[in-house]
Amino acid sequence: MTTVLIPGGAGFIGSHTVRALQTSGFESIILDNLSNGHKSSIPENSLFIEGDIQNRALLDEIFTQHKIDAVIHFAAFIEAGESVVNPLAFYSNNTGGTLCLLEAMTEHGIRPIVFSSTAAVYGQQETVATLSEDLPKKPINPYGESKWAVECMLRDTAATGALDAIALRYFNAAGSDPEGKTGELHDPETHLIPLVLQAASGKRSSIKVFGTDYGTPDGTCIRDYIHVCDLASAHVKALEHLLALGSTKGFYDAFNLGTGNGFSVRAVIESAKRVTGTDFAVVEEGRRAGDPAVLVADSSKARKHLGWEPLYPSLDDMVAHAWNFLKDR
Ligand SMILES: NC(=O)c1ccc[n+]([C@@H]2O[C@H](COP(=O)([O-])OP(=O)(O)OC[C@H]3O[C@@H](n4cnc5c(N)ncnc54)[C@H](O)[C@@H]3O)[C@@H](O)[C@H]2O)c1
């Protein structure tokens, strides 16, 4: 059986991917320091090691004691706003931590890695059309820079033949396992759908809309929401792509993951009201610095080369699945 090390596998996207890997017949070993992850998110029958990707001795121990065939790497700090306040923590954990992981992988001869990158590598582009992978990379915060730096490390190391790597640039992860086994539990929460659902459940008195004067049809920002189970299935496809390379050495590529449909902040709020059958207060505020008006993915490359297709492109499905998980918490 193929065994995959999953740094960050106790987090939101990682824990869904562990389940998708199990369904596809892979064995997972989860490495997570629980800085933001949850033991309760980890499937019962998977091996969990509590530890840090920056702990080189631990990585050596794991790679020596277990037959690891590949790595799917989610472990990172994720809040872009926090990265502006504390950039060194993000460069240390996201870039330095990955450097430590890649050094250990190459020394132990483990080649395939799928990496969680982000739409934040694109920053603010001039165009409002969908974003394709070859656009210039212009991150506007240390979070995006810390991820782009990792993509450069992967590209350059793959060029030597020492790694085979795929970077997956997610747009806005959303939703939850439809069976409600795991879901989004960020603390503090900054993502729009769970925040809106907190307003729907009364946990929050209102939802704030930052900016109502953008050049979009309803004046609010537009984002591309991608169901977390569709992200999980893309990781399985990317891993299978790398494992099928055979004797080819030094593969590197990056793929956007989104549905290609943009939804405005107002559309998300309306969806939440519809799905939950509740009404709640909406407070309009000024624009936040660094929020591009529109971020929508062109994911045709992932569809074509990985054979990936999102199963849950409907916004109402994403909101309903997130609600199933969050409503009783
Ligand atoms: N959520 C999104 O919308 C989104 C969008 C684009 C990219 N991403 C990327 O996807 C990945 C997963 O995001 P998520 O939303 O699941 O976040 P998350 O915080 O739920 O998961 C990250 C996990 O990594 C763990 N971790 C962090 N630093 C670690 C370290 N040094 N050693 C071991 N474990 C560590 C945390 O405890 C957590 O379980 C991240 O790399 C993030 O940058 C997320």
Side-chain angles (χ1 to χ4, degrees), residues 7-15 31-38 51-54 73-78 93-94 97 115-120 143 147 168-174 184-186 191 231:
F12 172 44
I13 305 166
S15 61
L31 171 65
D32 200 298
N33 63 7
L34 299 181
S35 55
N36 289 304
H38 306 272
D52 200 298
I53 52 166
Q54 302 194 61
H73 172 33
F74 297 95
F77 293 151
I78 69 165
N93 198 39
N94 297 3
F115 169 65
S116 295
S117 190
T118 165
Y143 168 69
K147 291 283 182 172
L168 296 176
R169 296 181 189 144
Y170 323 152
F171 281 61
N172 289 54
E184 189 163 11
L185 284 172
H186 294 126
H191 293 160
L231 288 180

Side-chain angles (χ1 to χ4, degrees), residues 9-268:
F12 172 44
I13 305 166
S15 61
H16 285 81
T17 302
V18 170
R19 283 179 168 76
L21 286 166
Q22 279 184 342
T23 307
S24 300
F26 293 95
E27 194 171 322
S28 301
I29 299 177
I30 295 159
L31 171 65
D32 200 298
N33 63 7
L34 299 181
S35 55
N36 289 304
H38 306 272
K39 250 185 180 165
S40 59
S41 300
I42 300 170
E44 275 162 21
N45 46 353
S46 44
L47 178 58
F48 170 57
I49 298 168
E50 185 170 346
D52 200 298
I53 52 166
Q54 302 194 61
N55 182 344
R56 177 57 201 268
L58 175 64
L59 292 176
D60 285 337
E61 197 182 307
I62 293 170
F63 288 135
T64 306
Q65 288 183 356
H66 302 273
K67 193 189 109 359
I68 308 282
D69 300 293
V71 175
I72 303 184
H73 172 33
F74 297 95
F77 293 151
I78 69 165
E79 291 309 332
E82 199 185 315
S83 78
V84 177
V85 179
N86 198 354
L88 293 182
F90 279 69
Y91 286 115
S92 169
N93 198 39
N94 297 3
T95 314
T98 306
L99 173 63
C100 183
L101 177 68
L102 297 182
E103 284 175 344
M105 282 180 68
T106 51
E107 281 176 37
H108 289 267
I110 296 151
R111 305 171 47 77
I113 176 166
V114 181
F115 169 65
S116 295
S117 190
T118 165
V121 300
Y122 296 115
Q124 307 222 40
Q125 302 284 332
E126 300 309 316
T127 168
V128 293
T130 54
L131 301 176
S132 58
E133 287 84 354
D134 50 0
L135 283 168
K137 310 307 172 295
K138 307 193 282 190
I140 54 168
N141 50 53
Y143 168 69
E145 293 284 9
S146 74
K147 291 283 182 172
W148 174 238
V150 171
E151 285 203 33
C152 295
M153 288 198 291
L154 292 172
R155 178 199 61 202
D156 297 344
T157 313
T160 70
L163 283 177
D164 301 314
I166 287 180
L168 296 176
R169 296 181 189 144
Y170 323 152
F171 281 61
N172 289 54
S176 165
D177 158 37
E179 291 171 27
K181 288 184 183 141
T182 184
E184 189 163 11
L185 284 172
H186 294 126
D187 184 19
E189 190 53 75
T190 58
H191 293 160
L192 181 62
I193 291 177
L195 286 176
V196 172
L197 292 176
Q198 286 180 3
S201 68
K203 193 173 170 193
R204 173 177 296 275
S205 59
S206 63
I207 184 74
K208 287 183 180 163
V209 177
F210 295 101
T212 54
D213 58 350
Y214 287 96
T216 57
D218 69 14
T220 64
C221 285
I222 290 178
R223 294 291 179 269
D224 187 335
Y225 295 89
I226 175 77
H227 196 291
V228 65
C229 292
D230 288 328
L231 288 180
S233 70
H235 287 78
V236 177
K237 294 275 187 195
L239 176 65
E240 288 171 344
H241 192 85
L242 292 177
L243 294 174
L245 289 171
S247 58
T248 311
K249 281 197 167 64
F251 179 89
Y252 174 74
D253 212 343
F255 298 90
N256 287 340
L257 296 177
T259 63
N261 301 317
F263 294 102
S264 71
V265 176
R266 287 196 206 281
V268 171

Side-chain angles (χ1 to χ4, degrees), residues 280-308:
F280 45 85
V282 177
V283 177
E284 297 188 355
E285 303 260 347
R287 293 184 185 197
R288 273 187 313 207
D291 267 349
V294 181
L295 280 178
V296 178
D298 173 354
S299 296
S300 51
K301 187 174 163 189
R303 291 169 197 257
K304 185 172 170 201
H305 294 280
L306 300 180
W308 171 75

